[in-house]
Amino acid sequence: MTRYFNVTDNILEVKGIHTLYGESHILHGVSFAIKKGQTVSIMGRNGMGKSTALKSILGLVKPRSGTVLYKGKEIDLLPTWKRMRNDIAYVPEGRGMFHNLTVKEHLQMAARKNSRGEAHWTYAKVLEVFPRLKERLTNKGTQLSGGEQQMLAIGRALLTNPDLLILDEATEGLAPLIRKEIWDVIRKIKETGVSTIIVDKNIKVLQTLCDQHILIVKGKVQFNGDSQALEENRAFIETSLAV
């Protein structure tokens, strides 16, 4: 089911954000917008500012200047938990497993209706999408393989019934078969109309899956376009991603 909001066409707008860690200037005027229902990739080599951009959106790191608008409203002054309660879900790099919780407890803890009282994603639906988790319900989250932990992290995020899902390093370090499973799930998420930001380096998959692509190089947006534009600039983007 596609979601609609009585605000602008953009669910997220990032306007000229500069973010620093101490004296280290990481983001230099980063700007981009994401329309409702879009799936957007953010690409870049390690250390280029991708994760910092996500953390700036979430309020985990406070930009020195610039503005973040969500559903047409400035959220710069909101603490992270209030941003998340406004239907944003985050799957961090490293997955954020709790060592003392089982798979079932991770999922049950996260489950809630969104701010409109809707629950499109339920415990049963997540287990249907991730049957592997159903076999691991009594295992601790930290006892799972890397791929299973990523499935759990995504399932946990979906159970908050978000309008915007942010995936940092969606398939990094996973085996090829597990990567395919994750990509298949992201396609299903896209079909539901959830806006999604994906940080990953797999240009081939991202080009077919995502509506828009953003390349960050040394803290600046060096490319922002659709899949056709990505193909036309493929050589530049591949060179920018090369180690």
Side-chain angles (χ1 to χ4, degrees), residues 44-46 48 172 201 237-243:
R45 293 200 306 266
N46 293 339
M48 293 292 106
E172 183 74 17
K201 299 183 183 71
I237 292 170
E238 288 181 344
T239 299
S240 299
L241 294 177
V243 177

Side-chain angles (χ1 to χ4, degrees), residues 19-21 52 55-63 80:
T19 303
L20 291 79
Y21 290 127
T52 301
K55 290 176 180 178
S56 298
I57 292 167
L58 294 165
L60 293 168
V61 177
K62 184 174 176 58
T80 298

Side-chain angles (χ1 to χ4, degrees), residues 205-220:
V205 176
L206 294 173
Q207 185 174 9
T208 60
L209 175 63
C210 297
D211 307 296
Q212 179 184 351
H213 309 275
I214 297 163
L215 174 70
I216 296 179
V217 178
K218 294 182 179 179
K220 297 180 180 180

Side-chain angles (χ1 to χ4, degrees), residues 67-83:
T67 301
V68 178
L69 292 94
Y70 177 64
K71 297 181 182 178
K73 297 180 180 179
E74 291 187 11
I75 60 172
D76 303 288
L77 299 179
L78 293 181
T80 298
W81 71 269
K82 282 193 175 181
R83 302 185 196 200

Side-chain angles (χ1 to χ4, degrees), residues 13 31 45 47 84-85 89-90 101 106 131 198 207 243:
E13 296 177 72
S31 298
R45 293 200 306 266
M84 306 292 272
R85 281 290 181 176
Y90 177 46
L101 296 183
H106 271 90
I198 304 168
Q207 185 174 9
V243 177

Side-chain angles (χ1 to χ4, degrees), residues 159-175:
L159 278 170
T160 67
N161 285 283
D163 294 324
L164 175 63
L165 175 65
I166 299 175
L167 299 167
D168 194 1
E169 299 295 357
T171 65
E172 183 74 17
L174 302 182

